[in-house]
Amino acid sequence: MEFRLDGPVLEGALVRLEPLEHRHAADLAAAVAGDRSSYGFTWVPAPEEVGAYIDAQQARAATGRLAPYAQISRATGRAVGATAYWEPRTWPESGELYAVEVGFTWLAPAAQGTGLNTEAKLLLLRHAFDTWGVTRVDLKTDARNARSQAAISALGASFEGVLRSSFPSWAPGERGRRLRDTAIFSVLADEWPDCRARLEDRLARRPAGSF
């Protein structure tokens, strides 16, 4: 039987990950209005594109190969970004999941650096390793995106190298016209306990009441 991604609600102290729906559109449109300087290499819709963005992600979800989420700030109850599970890989004989990617991640500028991304990654990795029982979680980013690579490394993921001209670029002016070089990171099952402890420690060291 083919494995189909179906992400449940995942809830932490700072962020709640809810399956992405059109009811999140107004919040997400507000989240992406204004400063877009941190979105140079990431697919982040403009406010007027949010509806089409949700349609596209839901179409991918219908294939069973994507589980898109809205990131909900627990402090405000509003959607402030998105993320997803993507590209499940299964054993051919049993159909059991052994690897999955975490990607399609972005946050409103005001939500960046607040701990939401750290906790969202903790929730996603914990579900992948502890519930699905995967051996590997992939994280990928444009090789030019130094900020994203630093954030992924800070999670405890291991850098594995760069795949040249490997995936379509999301950079402005390059969509549909250029393949990007992609930096590949991963967390393996035997690394997960240390990675989990690292993420939990980062969250615990946040000032009390800080969101």
Side-chain angles (χ1 to χ4, degrees), residues 2 14 27 34 59 72 77 93 111 145 169 174 177 182:
E2 181 182 7
L14 304 178
D27 283 353
I72 313 299
E93 297 83 3
N145 193 341
S169 172
E174 295 181 359
R177 301 172 53 190
T182 302

Side-chain angles (χ1 to χ4, degrees), residues 1-121:
M1 180 180 295
E2 181 182 7
F3 184 91
R4 297 180 62 85
L5 284 175
D6 183 18
V9 173
L10 301 174
E11 191 151 357
L14 304 178
V15 66
R16 182 172 66 254
L17 302 181
E18 299 178 353
L20 181 65
E21 298 177 358
H22 277 281
R23 63 188 176 87
H24 300 117
D27 283 353
L28 293 178
V32 297
D35 180 18
R36 297 179 62 85
S37 60
S38 62
Y39 300 152
F41 301 104
T42 306
W43 180 31
V44 181
E48 67 274 12
E49 298 170 338
V50 167
Y53 170 87
I54 294 173
D55 286 341
Q57 292 296 73
Q58 289 185 337
R60 289 184 174 92
T63 71
R65 301 194 63 77
L66 179 80
Y69 283 102
Q71 299 199 56
I72 313 299
S73 167
R74 292 289 306 276
T76 66
R78 298 176 65 89
V80 294
T83 191
Y85 287 119
W86 174 234
E87 290 293 354
R89 301 199 294 283
T90 59
W91 292 103
E93 297 83 3
S94 65
E96 293 182 358
L97 186 70
Y98 69 81
V100 71
E101 181 177 341
V102 169
F104 290 102
T105 300
W106 57 268
L107 281 171
Q112 296 173 20
T114 63
L116 268 71
N117 181 60
T118 299
E119 188 174 62
K121 291 298 192 296

Side-chain angles (χ1 to χ4, degrees), residues 140-208:
K140 302 173 184 173
T141 190
D142 193 305
R144 298 168 292 181
N145 193 341
R147 178 174 178 168
S148 178
Q149 291 190 61
I152 294 172
S153 293
L155 299 173
S158 297
F159 174 66
E160 296 186 332
V162 174
L163 294 180
R164 298 177 298 167
S165 297
S166 50
F167 296 96
S169 172
W170 296 112
E174 295 181 359
R175 287 187 61 179
R177 301 172 53 190
R178 175 174 175 169
L179 294 174
R180 73 182 193 187
D181 293 349
T182 302
I184 307 296
F185 294 78
S186 69
V187 179
L188 303 183
D190 60 0
E191 299 166 342
W192 166 232
D194 287 343
C195 178
R196 178 179 57 210
R198 182 174 184 167
L199 294 173
E200 291 173 345
D201 180 65
R202 285 179 61 187
L203 291 167
R205 287 188 285 107
R206 293 191 58 76

